Amino acid sequence: MRRSIATVCVSGTLEDKLAAAAAAGFDGIEIFENDLVVSSLSPREVRERCADLGLSIDLYQPFRDFEAVPDPLFRKNLDRASRKFEVMAELGAGTMLVCSSVHPEAVDDDDLAAGQLSDLSDLASDFGVRIAYEALAWGRHVSTWDHSWRIVQRADHPSLGLCLDSFHVLSRDVDPAGIADITPGKIFFLQLADAPYLRMDVLQWSRHHRLFPGQGAFDLAGFVDLTLAAGYDGPLSLEVFNDVFRQADPARTAVDAMRSLIALEGAALPAYPDLSGYAFTEFAVDANSGPELRGTLRGLGFAHTGQHRTKPVELWEQSGCRIVLNSAVTRPQTAAITAFAISSADPSQSLQRAEALSAPAHPNVREPGEAELAAITAPDGTSVFVTDSANEWRNDFLPTGSTAAGAGLLSTDHLGLAQPFDHFDEAGLFYHSVLGLEPLSTEEYAAPFGLMRSRALTNKTRSIRLALSVSLLRRGDWAPAVSDPQHVAFTTADIVATAAALNIPQLSVPDNYYADLAARFALPDDFVSTLRAYGILYDRDAAGGELLHLYTPVLGGRVFFEILERRGGYDRFGEANAPVRMAAQRHRRLTSPSVRR
């Protein structure tokens, strides 16, 4: 199907928006009236610009507060509409969106609404224009799709049909199933937006919190299926009001939008190959952070097992846990997780899917004879390498002969990656659509330095887990000095035995925390004493599953490690303990003179 995007979805001038839509591969656009009003281009010039870019103008919108009003106001509305039809003729736009009225003089009279919309459609047909009537979720009298359909049926005009907007439909408690029974040809336009489920005024929800498909909680695939069942054959069009998107780089936002539509359509995409786990996690280090991370890895029981043949890159291993330290630093001063590798049952197919979703892979820089390892770039700039279970990349490392007794670490459980605020939702869609990771949960919690949001994703076998986080409001240099923290979490079968084997500084977890644990979960005193002795944190889910986990201090100014033991099917990430961890890490930075603040 053709793909379209409303100009309101992206930032910039109308010229910026058109260029971004075309570059991202959209077939058409909806022109939001405000964007035209402030543009230096005339309607005819906009039409010519769109033609040059290969864009059709699929909808002009919105026309507000028209129907079910007293006759004097109705006459004024007809005159206003006539002027807009003249603009549309210059634009070459054939469909106008008319929103259900919120005007204070509008009355609850379906016959009057239908009659006035019929008169509007008569006028529209004189200009070769169709009217797509849309029920606003906050409309004064018409606020649901089924009500708008009854009015369109009553008007019975060939130039009058429906505009169905997924937000207005799915944000209301009206079953959308009946959409499939709408008369074929009477759905004139389809607008798509996702959103999280929020308990708030629906107008504010709509104006500030819409998302692209796949970034929220709506069943958009089911909604589209219902519309197609009714015979709709027009474009799939995005209309997303979002404060972040309307301030971000329009070219990047448009690519994210296109990715969401491609993923929603799905059928032509290569399937997700099975993922079997993390092959390695790569840290960029410099002369300051490198020694600090090496010392901590030794204290965690890792051994430096390999040195790259041609690059200043080290391989550190313990059982199935693999860390790569890369000293070819281009951005020194802080350590950073710059890449991770996943094992795919079919790396080629994984990369083909990524390319189809506007995330083309780039090859690694390598010398002759070295392993070819292609990477996809995530929204925060992290490289995601795709390899197979044979892990041929390890042949690029010369064995050092080093071994270590280990501390019982078994595998990488998850990565914790803080995201730039503007790209948090983009990252969720990227990992879901490209890698096939399913969202587990989205949580918000009050941390010592402000509100945090966390989004967890995983594959079906739980061999790949990601915890994405973002600070919802950060201004200035305060709170805290650690910006965009990142961490790797390792599994163990016995966290107490592992903790006893570690040779790393222990975080000082407050006694208040353990007193609260005992009260909340009715834990035995001796068990709480063991947790306290090793700085182990604890959580329990509703089904009785348990998480025991501990953390290292912050290393290299930004990164740290977590060790965890999951019991009884616990499937979360211990989000409730994040503020405790953050405060303990902050306390150590303040009380240890040698530790970077």
Side-chain angles (χ1 to χ4, degrees):
M1 299 184 71
R2 296 178 64 256
R3 303 174 185 132
S4 187
I5 185 170
T7 56
V8 75
C9 294
V10 297
S11 67
T13 65
L14 183 56
E15 296 94 318
D16 297 328
K17 296 166 185 266
L18 298 180
F26 282 94
D27 303 300
I29 57 158
E30 302 176 33
I31 290 188
F32 194 69
E33 185 176 60
N34 292 19
D35 289 322
L36 180 64
V37 168
V38 302
S39 176
S40 61
L41 299 178
S42 70
R44 184 170 298 278
E45 289 172 327
V46 172
R47 178 178 185 170
E48 293 170 350
R49 179 69 59 87
C50 287
D52 290 341
L53 292 170
L55 295 170
S56 59
I57 300 178
D58 296 328
L59 189 73
Y60 185 74
Q61 61 114 339
F63 192 74
R64 304 181 187 276
D65 294 334
F66 177 79
E67 82 286 4
V69 294
D71 190 67
L73 181 55
F74 171 60
R75 297 298 162 189
K76 291 180 180 179
N77 286 344
L78 278 180
D79 180 65
R80 179 163 58 96
S82 179
R83 295 175 185 273
K84 294 302 178 183
F85 293 150
E86 292 173 356
V87 172
M88 291 177 65
E90 288 190 63
L91 283 171
T95 304
M96 173 190 276
L97 183 148
V98 175
C99 302
S100 61
S101 182
V102 297
H103 197 282
E105 294 188 48
V107 296
D108 188 7
D109 186 334
D110 285 3
D111 287 332
L112 180 60
Q116 291 183 348
L117 284 170
S118 182
D119 289 346
L120 176 65
S121 300
D122 281 339
L123 179 61
S125 62
D126 292 340
F127 286 87
V129 169
R130 302 187 309 171
I131 300 300
Y133 182 52
E134 173 186 71
L136 290 178
W138 55 90
R140 181 172 173 81
H141 301 295
V142 180
S143 59
T144 61
W145 74 266
D146 57 334
H147 194 173
S148 64
W149 173 227
R150 291 195 298 271
I151 290 174
V152 168
Q153 286 178 298
R154 192 165 301 189
D156 192 22
H157 195 290
S159 295
L160 177 65
L162 288 179
C163 174
L164 292 181
D165 180 309
S166 62
F167 181 86
H168 295 304
V169 174
L170 300 177
S171 63
R172 299 301 304 262
D173 294 326
V174 175
D175 189 350
I179 288 172
D181 299 323
I182 292 174
T183 303
K186 294 305 285 184
I187 301 176
F188 283 3
F189 207 76
L190 177 64
Q191 293 178 317
L192 298 174
D194 208 338
Y197 285 122
L198 299 173
R199 295 183 179 181
M200 64 186 306
D201 174 74
V202 69
L203 175 59
Q204 297 304 311
W205 185 15
S206 172
R207 291 283 171 84
H208 303 286
H209 300 284
R210 294 196 193 194
L211 297 167
F212 293 131
Q215 295 177 333
F218 288 168
D219 178 14
L220 290 190
F223 175 76
V224 171
D225 286 345
L226 291 171
T227 309
L228 298 181
Y232 178 74
D233 61 359
L236 298 182
S237 189
L238 298 170
E239 190 201 37
V240 173
F241 296 84
N242 183 287
D243 296 340
V244 174
F245 298 168
R246 293 168 79 174
Q247 296 183 54
D249 176 0
R252 179 167 181 163
T253 303
V255 169
D256 191 34
M258 175 57 74
R259 180 180 295 135
S260 76
L261 276 184
I262 296 172
L264 178 63
E265 294 172 28
L269 288 172
Y272 304 112
D274 290 336
L275 305 178
S276 57
Y278 289 99
F280 65 80
T281 306
E282 178 177 306
F283 289 82
V285 295
D286 61 9
N288 293 316
S289 61
E292 191 174 11
L293 261 71
R294 292 184 189 98
T296 298
L297 288 172
R298 290 189 188 94
L300 292 172
F302 280 78
H304 176 200
T305 59
Q307 186 68 38
H308 198 278
R309 297 172 186 274
T310 61
K311 303 170 186 174
V313 177
E314 305 165 15
L315 175 61
W316 291 72
E317 296 182 279
Q318 178 178 177
S319 188
C321 310
R322 288 179 287 272
I323 297 294
V324 169
L325 300 184
N326 188 340
S327 298
V329 179
T330 57
R331 48 179 184 183
Q333 298 180 353
T334 59
I337 296 176
T338 54
F340 62 89
I342 56 174
S343 296
S344 168
D346 189 338
S348 176
Q349 187 167 309
S350 291
L351 297 176
Q352 288 171 14
R353 182 179 178 89
E355 184 162 9
L357 287 161
S358 304
H362 56 86
N364 60 321
V365 178
R366 61 194 181 97
E367 297 296 328
E370 294 180 354
E372 183 176 353
L373 199 58
I376 310 158
T377 303
D380 65 351
T382 301
S383 293
V384 182
F385 290 100
V386 182
T387 183
D388 58 24
S389 57
N391 288 331
E392 293 183 1
W393 58 270
R394 297 178 71 183
N395 295 331
D396 293 343
F397 289 85
L398 298 173
T400 63
S402 296
T403 59
L409 305 186
L410 302 174
S411 63
T412 297
D413 181 85
H414 69 268
L415 302 184
L417 302 175
Q419 300 295 301
F421 180 83
D422 287 358
H423 307 312
F424 182 72
D425 291 309
E426 181 186 357
L429 174 62
F430 172 87
Y431 287 114
H432 170 58
S433 62
V434 174
L435 299 184
L437 303 185
E438 293 294 333
L440 278 177
S441 63
T442 298
E443 304 287 339
E444 290 187 359
Y445 53 87
F449 306 103
L451 194 64
M452 300 291 295
R453 180 175 295 156
S454 174
R455 177 170 296 156
L457 303 102
T458 185
N459 63 342
K460 291 180 180 179
T461 62
R462 303 304 197 256
S463 59
I464 301 284
R465 302 177 193 251
L466 280 174
L468 309 178
S469 63
V470 67
S471 174
L472 297 188
L473 182 64
R474 179 176 292 167
R475 297 290 182 268
D477 296 331
W478 167 249
V482 178
S483 62
D484 299 328
Q486 304 169 315
H487 78 277
V488 183
F490 303 114
T491 62
T492 178
D494 185 342
I495 195 168
V496 174
T498 292
L502 299 179
N503 184 24
I504 58 170
Q506 180 177 315
L507 288 181
S508 177
V509 180
D511 286 341
N512 297 333
Y513 169 76
Y514 292 106
D516 180 66
L517 271 189
R520 280 193 295 138
F521 296 113
L523 299 174
D525 290 344
D526 58 345
F527 180 59
V528 174
S529 296
T530 299
L531 298 179
R532 181 188 291 110
Y534 293 107
I536 298 171
L537 308 180
Y538 178 89
D539 190 34
R540 183 192 298 162
D541 62 24
E546 298 174 300
L547 176 73
L548 286 74
H549 57 146
L550 62 84
Y551 295 91
T552 71
V554 174
L555 309 164
R558 181 183 181 187
V559 301
F560 57 95
F561 297 103
E562 177 184 4
I563 298 170
L564 60 84
E565 179 188 348
R566 297 180 182 272
R567 297 178 177 177
Y570 183 96
D571 203 27
R572 299 175 66 87
F573 293 77
E575 297 92 342
N577 290 326
V580 182
R581 181 262 304 166
M582 295 168 71
Q585 288 174 332
R586 176 68 168 170
H587 176 76
R588 176 167 177 77
R589 293 197 303 277
L590 292 175
T591 57
S592 301
S594 62
V595 175
R596 231 182 291 188
R597 296 290 190 271

